[in-house]
């Protein structure tokens, strides 16, 4: 549990620095839906890891990119829902 809290604190700090610099943040090693939700909640703009795809050859990568709109849509929907929930809590 302490490791998870430390990891979340590191992600949050990196996201805050990136936001101040106008940069994006890619969370690497995302393997579970829970991890995806956590990095979205912290404000990561992109993810990479086995949850999205296993390592692929160049040929397979091209195929994946052309068919990955469902993955991108799901990620964007999850992040948008999180932003809405946080806005509601902050407004209260």
């Amino acid at each position: 549990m302490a490791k998870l809290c430390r990891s979340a604190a590191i992600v949050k700090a990196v996201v805050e620095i990136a936001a101040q610099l106008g940069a994006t943040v890619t969370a690497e090693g995302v393997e579970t839906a829970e991890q995806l939700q956590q990095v979205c909640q912290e404000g990561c703009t992109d993810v990479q890891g086995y949850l999205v795809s296993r390592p692929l050859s160049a040929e397979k990568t091209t195929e994946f990119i052309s068919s990955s709109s469902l993955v991108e849509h799901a990620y964007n929907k999850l992040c948008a829902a999180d932003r809405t929930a946080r806005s509601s809590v902050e407004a209260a």
Side-chain angles (χ1 to χ4, degrees):
M1 184 70 171
K3 183 178 180 183
L4 184 60
C5 290
R6 260 189 296 175
S7 295
I10 292 168
V11 170
K12 185 175 184 173
V14 169
V15 168
E16 288 176 3
I17 292 168
Q20 291 178 6
L21 297 172
T24 61
V25 176
T26 301
E28 295 186 3
V30 177
E31 297 181 3
T32 67
E34 180 183 7
Q35 289 172 333
L36 176 62
Q37 185 176 20
Q38 289 171 343
V39 297
C40 281
Q41 287 174 343
E42 296 302 335
C44 288
T45 53
D46 301 291
V47 298
Q48 173 182 327
Y50 285 149
L51 181 65
V52 177
S53 175
R54 301 262 183 220
L56 301 171
S57 66
E59 181 180 303
K60 293 288 184 183
T61 299
T62 302
E63 291 174 23
F64 178 78
I65 291 170
S66 65
S67 67
S68 67
S69 61
L70 291 176
V71 173
E72 185 176 337
H73 175 73
Y75 172 77
N76 289 337
K77 189 173 183 178
L78 178 60
C79 289
D82 179 62
R83 284 192 296 272
T84 301
R86 280 201 276 173
S87 295
S88 297
V89 169
E90 291 171 1

